[in-house]
Amino acid sequence: MTDFRVVVIGAGMAGLLAGIKLKAMGIDNFSIYEKADRIGGTWRENTYPGLTCDVPSHHYTYSFERNPDWTRHLPPGPEIQAYFERCCDHYRLRQSIRFNAEITRAQWQDGRWRLTLANGETDDADVVIAATGVLHHPSTPAIPGMADFAGALFHTARWDHSVALDGRVGVIGMGSTGVQIISALAGVSCQLSHFVRTPQWIMPVHNGYYSEEERARFRADPAALEAYMDVVTYHRNVENYTLGITQPDSPGAQYFRQACFDNLESIEDEALREALRPDHEPMCKRLVFSPDYYQKIQHPQARLVRADIERIEPAGIRTVDGELHELDVIALATGFRADQFVRPMQVLGANGASLDRLWAQRPVAYLAVSMPGFPNFFMLNGPNGPVGNYSLIDIAEHQWGYIQQLLERVRDQGPLCATAQALEDFDRERIAAAKTTIWYTGGCQSWYLDAEGVPASWPWNYSRFVAEMKTPKWNHFGVES
Ligand code: NAP
């Protein structure tokens, strides 16, 4: 095929990766469609105070494009966004990105994909790579009276920077986001209230600074940076973490559990300690890492509120114990709808197959990458892939290695997608494994669970994922057009 064309949807971390790798393959006939006016995905949309990734900075980069300039051990959000902007320029991707261009429909017809944009324009491609992200659609709770609030109220992924934060601020939610915001605003807001329905375990972590000398050394000597990173140990830690999830009695699980228990015991105030004691096993929800939440919530101007929220009133939040918490600002750190993936885009495959219909109950995909009936439609960070306390960049790179092999075969031999049998077998095994993970057995609710209460994330360890991504089992793929 001489005019072989690829369309990538989304210019976040994964879409940029696809662009870089397509170029490296010699495929220049591609476009990246981005509905926003800037690259960055998660790191463009989240700008809340204290925004940090809890993956060690030097491991939160593409493996082929290290960043010697991280200022902290955990990467601050604005530095991550700046890193991706630099990558975009360095790999000359901007000319291939169409900004403010939302694809609303993708339809497989006559052996190619026909893409329709929100403005009515169309494009055609042999292959579509969906790189639309996982935690992308804010989950906004239906708390009675929300519309009546007289102050400023917004979801944390839609932070309103015109709003002053030195007044009375309420933060709802104790996931990674809520915890980071509390740490950032303690002592800044004259009164900071943390509304916590379900306390989470907190894994202690150090977040120091890299000195200018260290950064200069990493800049001058990439080998010194690689040695410092110790990739082998990092991957061993990821393996142990994933073993902790899949085998709750493993030493890895015990290590994390004990560290969380000890961390909680560091709170001397018994009433506060008990108010923050989770009712579920560590790692059941995605583990929250924080260097200082337990200290910051004890700041004289900060307060933990454990009473459930009854409603929001013009003046603030009324809890079920009758107390009105008067507030100027309410931040909803209430998480994301993790079941959407490429939706609301309409994706129509061969013989009228509709992704929306197939995913009505729960999103699935063979190895998180391919769907039967959807030839040449491949996903980065699609349903059932690994999403945990490790770098999604690393995960996307492994997935790209797999997708690249699919692409080469498509280019040489024509359309392909996973067979229905392959997906059925994979999903049966996945669900059985998912029910043995700590996400299922640990007794908690979380965004890992699908509508039927089954963990949707990759239920095996990291090394199994790496092994699966090495080479496609070609007998699991077929042609349906
Ligand atoms: P989250 O982990 O889903 O937490 C949502 C929080 O909101 C929970 O505490 C939940 O309480 C609470 N909540 C939801 N609806 C509520 C309601 N009606 N009333 C009271 N509380 C309510 O969301 P997140 O903190 O935004 O984090 C989502 C994911 O983003 C993380 O797990 C992580 O994968 C990613 N993230 C990563 C980082 C990082 O450092 N890498 C930073 C931020 C986010 P319940 O537990 O009771 O439901």
Side-chain angles (χ1 to χ4, degrees):
M1 271 187 236
T2 49
D3 59 346
F4 188 73
R5 175 162 171 75
V6 178
V7 156
V8 178
I9 306 175
M13 169 279 288
L16 297 179
L17 172 71
I20 294 167
K21 295 290 187 175
L22 284 167
K23 282 187 150 201
M25 287 174 76
I27 298 177
D28 291 318
N29 185 6
F30 72 90
S31 296
I32 303 176
Y33 283 91
E34 170 53 59
K35 70 177 162 58
D37 60 1
R38 275 195 312 144
I39 62 119
T42 291
W43 304 108
R44 176 194 65 231
E45 299 207 347
N46 284 279
T47 58
Y48 60 76
L51 175 69
T52 304
C53 178
D54 56 16
V55 174
S57 299
H58 288 291
H59 293 278
Y60 198 72
T61 67
Y62 298 124
S63 59
F64 51 84
E65 189 66 44
R66 297 300 187 201
N67 175 19
D69 292 314
W70 296 115
T71 59
R72 302 204 62 174
H73 294 179
L74 300 179
E79 288 186 32
I80 302 172
Q81 177 67 18
Y83 165 78
F84 286 123
E85 297 276 4
R86 279 201 305 279
C87 288
C88 190
D89 290 331
H90 180 73
Y91 289 92
R92 299 179 193 283
L93 287 178
R94 280 189 208 280
Q95 66 218 41
S96 304
I97 304 176
R98 285 205 47 197
F99 290 104
N100 302 305
E102 180 177 5
I103 293 183
T104 52
R105 183 183 163 98
Q107 182 163 19
W108 179 252
Q109 57 185 48
D110 305 325
R112 293 191 97 201
W113 285 98
R114 159 60 53 116
L115 302 147
T116 309
L117 278 74
N119 67 3
E121 277 179 46
T122 59
D123 192 0
D124 294 304
D126 297 286
V127 172
V128 171
I129 310 283
T132 48
V134 188
L135 299 167
H136 176 51
H137 300 278
S139 169
T140 305
I143 303 173
M146 218 150 67
D148 303 331
F149 183 54
L153 181 152
F154 41 78
H155 189 275
T156 53
R158 302 283 181 272
W159 198 271
D160 182 347
H161 290 276
S162 69
V163 172
L165 298 171
D166 53 358
R168 299 161 303 175
V169 176
V171 177
I172 303 178
M174 197 191 169
S176 303
T177 305
V179 163
Q180 290 180 355
I181 293 170
I182 294 295
S183 288
L185 293 188
V188 172
S189 306
C190 73
Q191 184 194 306
L192 181 64
S193 306
H194 195 193
F195 295 84
V196 173
R197 180 168 68 184
T198 314
Q200 288 200 207
W201 289 105
I202 305 252
M203 181 72 191
V205 64
H206 179 67
N207 188 15
Y209 290 84
Y210 289 108
S211 66
E212 183 43 53
E213 291 73 42
E214 282 173 301
R215 284 184 271 152
R217 186 163 65 88
F218 295 153
R219 263 195 301 273
D221 184 2
L225 176 54
E226 288 295 328
Y228 167 83
M229 287 175 61
D230 192 357
V231 173
V232 174
T233 304
Y234 173 75
H235 284 139
R236 194 181 310 128
N237 290 342
V238 173
E239 177 74 356
N240 282 338
Y241 181 85
T242 54
L243 275 173
I245 284 160
T246 53
Q247 294 171 21
D249 292 329
S250 66
Q254 282 166 21
Y255 166 77
F256 282 106
R257 205 179 296 144
Q258 197 56 49
C260 290
F261 292 161
D262 293 346
N263 197 23
L264 183 66
E265 293 310 315
S266 71
I267 303 177
E268 285 176 12
D269 178 334
E270 191 185 345
L272 180 67
R273 187 169 67 236
E274 293 316 307
L276 280 170
R277 188 176 295 282
D279 60 359
H280 54 270
E281 286 285 307
M283 299 169 85
C284 179
K285 289 172 181 273
R286 183 187 181 280
L287 204 47
V288 175
F289 282 70
S290 172
D292 55 8
Y293 172 79
Y294 287 151
Q295 288 86 47
K296 296 292 184 155
I297 195 64
Q298 298 184 64
H299 190 281
Q301 284 153 230
R303 182 184 174 199
L304 174 73
V305 181
R306 281 300 319 280
D308 280 346
I309 295 169
E310 184 175 288
R311 63 178 180 273
I312 295 179
E313 300 182 0
I317 293 180
R318 174 87 61 185
T319 43
V320 290
D321 55 6
E323 185 174 350
L324 174 67
H325 305 261
E326 291 189 34
L327 297 166
D328 305 307
V329 181
I330 299 175
L332 303 173
T334 46
F336 299 86
R337 292 201 54 188
D339 61 345
Q340 293 301 290
F341 295 96
V342 303
R343 294 176 288 181
M345 187 174 103
Q346 206 186 357
V347 186
L348 302 169
N351 306 316
S354 149
L355 207 59
D356 213 19
R357 245 195 333 269
L358 291 167
W359 284 0
Q361 221 167 345
R362 58 193 158 83
V364 291
Y366 172 69
L367 289 175
V369 163
S370 174
M371 276 294 288
F374 296 79
N376 298 3
F377 181 87
F378 306 126
M379 290 171 274
L380 284 166
N381 288 316
N384 313 138
V387 230
N389 287 84
Y390 35 84
S391 169
L392 267 190
I393 306 181
D394 176 55
I395 299 301
E397 282 194 30
H398 284 291
Q399 288 172 330
W400 181 266
Y402 187 91
I403 289 174
Q404 181 165 322
Q405 296 172 69
L406 300 180
L407 268 177
E408 281 159 357
R409 182 152 301 207
V410 166
R411 198 166 45 170
D412 295 344
Q413 300 182 16
L416 60 79
C417 56
T419 64
Q421 189 63 52
L423 175 61
E424 193 185 316
D425 293 346
F426 168 75
D427 215 39
R428 191 182 331 101
E429 206 190 337
R430 177 188 70 78
I431 289 172
K435 290 183 175 177
T436 68
T437 60
I438 188 86
W439 301 319
Y440 190 77
T441 60
C444 72
Q445 276 296 322
S446 76
W447 59 261
Y448 282 129
L449 306 183
D450 67 20
E452 293 164 0
V454 177
S457 193
W458 184 261
W460 300 287
N461 54 353
Y462 174 73
S463 52
R464 172 156 175 172
F465 169 73
V466 172
E468 289 281 9
M469 290 296 105
K470 272 219 160 63
T471 320
K473 296 182 178 94
W474 293 112
N475 59 336
H476 288 185
F477 284 86
V479 184
E480 296 175 47
S481 44

